[in-house]
Amino acid sequence: MGEVVMGRQRPGTPTLEEVAARAGVGRGTVSRVINNAAGVKDSTRRAVQRAIAELGYVPNLAARSLAGRRADAVALAMTEQDWRLFGEPFFAETVRAVSDALTDTGMQLLLTLVRTAAERQRFVEYARGGRVDGALLMSVRADDPLPDMLAEAGLPTVLLGRRSGDECVTYVDADNVGGARAAVAHLLDGGRSRIATITGPLDMYVAQCRLRGYREALDRAGIRSRSSWEAESDFTEESGRRAMAELLERHPDIDGVFAASDTTAAGALAALRAAGRRVPGDVAVIGFDDFPLAQRTDPRLTTVRQPLEEIGRALVRLLLEEMEQPAVAWRHVILRTELVLRDSAP
Amino acid sequence: MGEVVMGRQRPGTPTLEEVAARAGVGRGTVSRVINNAAGVKDSTRRAVQRAIAELGYVPNLAARSLAGRRADAVALAMTEQDWRLFGEPFFAETVRAVSDALTDTGMQLLLTLVRTAAERQRFVEYARGGRVDGALLMSVRADDPLPDMLAEAGLPTVLLGRRSGDECVTYVDADNVGGARAAVAHLLDGGRSRIATITGPLDMYVAQCRLRGYREALDRAGIRSRSSWEAESDFTEESGRRAMAELLERHPDIDGVFAASDTTAAGALAALRAAGRRVPGDVAVIGFDDFPLAQRTDPRLTTVRQPLEEIGRALVRLLLEEMEQPAVAWRHVILRTELVLRDSAP
DNA sequence: CTGAAAGCGCTAACAT
DNA sequence: ATGTTAGCGCTTTCAG
């Protein structure tokens, strides 16, 4: 009687051994051919390739993984908060950059959602189970235990951003303090002096850094920073709008705004418009992240550009390094940010 | 001499065999315990669990996969175009729904980018190599060869949306024609008669369907549809803005707009505002997809809601069915859409 | 209820 | 340059 098979993989899939038989060679030779190893006579190689084509052979990756002790894949994990920021260009562009940086390595990039505790558990088992050779973690929150769980399990792990000033786990970050400082300094240079800021969620280190840069720039100019000039957002456009409205109410004479994200800057713009302010005539706005979002509407804003291509490359490079060597040290890379000037009349 | 090992997996990882030795049982028993199989004496089970905990044992997924002939993972592949629509709430919400629907199965969801031909090749090898038990494909273009490549390889595959009216591969879709028709009928009911539409990219079947619904509704009302009342967008906000401006120029007396997407509707809104039209006073706008994007600005728009939770569940259910049975038939599910009324004064 | 044994399909070291 | 062999760590009969 035909028993019910619980296996999911189609039967009858040709194996390396069948290819070897058909090509009239040993299994080792076939293995060399499919792995592009040197030292195979050209005629043999072609014979094997023909057999592969005729049989429609595809290597079984589980077997390769088991024998070769590697997965040829890396995960990029995103938490629930990341997911809500999904729409942000920063997010999509970074993933794209990582994907590009990975093309040469032949490794498959796997994006995974880690929203609940159950999903985190499953992901950890997946990663520790050897289905990926390493993990990239996006914009981790201060209280996120995932990096440590993976790092302690010995899985090569690299963070995009850090959880705090004394982060240990290997990470790539942008110079958030410096970028914010440069932005505010630019506003000051342009003759603005009543400068407010819309911060990101302050439980994220990145938001703390950008706020610090804002304050430092004011300090250096001899301006005492005050909390009434600071309003928190959660990096969404809507919260940026609200924060801006709030700031305007507190300080109708604002003439400059530093927004901690591109999306937030877009919200700020909308709120300023709604309040009848001209931008940048009455109020100059500088946003972190150089994306079209805040610029969909007319005024070409000056922005702080993060070098996303570089970030993607650095993430992959560090991950590869972690994979090559046993984890002897944490490696940190902080990439310079750049002010992109667009407001000719500051 | 210590040879350089190219393997990536940490050595010294405890194996099932070591657990068995420590617990003083056979390997089979350990296997039964970690798979929650029935028929293990309670005391034995606990002994094994203790050994697992003490050793910090984690099953090697490659070995399990090889022996068990399944991957316990499914892929959700996104093409380059999808990726550009990444920001759309529809996208994020659908993935979330799929993720939710998958939690009970214990399978890991893997999002993969398939942007270039090289990436497609790699993904096909990954999938055919047995690293996933099935694939979900988002909003495929008419000329996308990926569905056929996977389906022909015998991999359980389900599409979200179809490539054309005679799509074969198993899919889940929304009733786009009906939804569009209902939207336009609602505008007509509200006394509007000069109704334009902003379509999606017409090489996508979903966009064709929504346009067809628009035309059918007008036909039924005895209004001849004309192409000058139709403008194409690529589903982005910017293109929606442009399309609306164009339509306004051609027909300044427009009093209703059906937008083929939420994002497009947002663009239309902005353009209408810029042209000094009140919404919905002068012009009523209905968008497909029920999301806050088009509603960030004041007027509460009536929208066409796609049942995303249902779509996610259906995708997973069909995929599981494909996995259980050899592919004997293509299965298609078309989910009803719903008009969400918000404009009390149509 | 449990142990022993036979693979799953591949890589890599070792012969030749 | 190529064939042979010994595992990789697990699931799954099949005996007991």
Side-chain angles (χ1 to χ4, degrees), chain A residues 183-197:
Chain A
V184 175
H186 178 69
L187 289 172
L188 290 165
D189 286 349
R192 316 281 176 173
S193 61
R194 309 190 59 81
I195 303 170
T197 185

Side-chain angles (χ1 to χ4, degrees), chain B residues 60 69 163 235:
Chain B
N60 178 318
R69 304 155 153 282
R163 289 168 292 176
F235 277 152

Side-chain angles (χ1 to χ4, degrees), chain A residues 29 219 333:
Chain A
T29 304
D219 280 355
V333 172

Side-chain angles (χ1 to χ4, degrees), chain B residues 29-177:
Chain B
T29 305
V30 177
S31 181
R32 280 166 208 131
V33 171
I34 62 181
N35 290 301
N36 275 316
V40 179
K41 209 198 304 176
D42 237 38
S43 58
T44 324
R45 184 181 297 271
R46 271 195 298 276
V48 171
Q49 280 163 341
R50 188 153 43 78
I52 287 176
E54 288 170 357
L55 259 38
Y57 168 75
V58 179
N60 178 318
L61 262 26
R64 170 176 292 173
S65 209
L66 180 58
R69 304 155 153 282
R70 59 225 192 67
D72 288 320
V74 308
L76 195 167
M78 307 172 281
T79 60
E80 168 67 21
Q81 288 84 4
D82 300 330
W83 193 245
R84 296 172 51 203
L85 304 180
F86 210 44
E88 281 210 67
F90 168 74
F91 203 97
E93 289 305 316
T94 304
V95 173
R96 187 189 303 261
V98 169
S99 180
D100 284 344
L102 227 38
T103 46
D104 300 328
T105 69
M107 290 195 276
Q108 172 72 49
L109 177 63
L110 268 17
L111 307 183
T112 58
L113 258 60
V114 182
R115 301 182 301 147
T116 63
E119 284 182 351
R120 178 167 59 222
Q121 188 54 34
R122 186 196 298 166
F123 175 71
V124 169
E125 276 164 21
Y126 188 84
R128 295 194 58 182
R131 301 296 293 247
V132 294
D133 297 319
L136 261 21
L137 268 32
M138 289 209 62
S139 62
V140 281
R141 302 299 254 236
D143 58 349
D144 193 341
L146 190 54
D148 297 319
M149 295 173 77
L150 297 175
E152 280 166 19
L155 189 85
T157 302
V158 181
L159 312 184
L160 170 47
R162 34 190 161 158
R163 289 168 292 176
S164 72
D166 57 350
E167 177 66 75
C168 273
V169 176
T170 292
Y171 67 79
V172 175
D173 204 352
D175 179 13
N176 290 305
V177 177

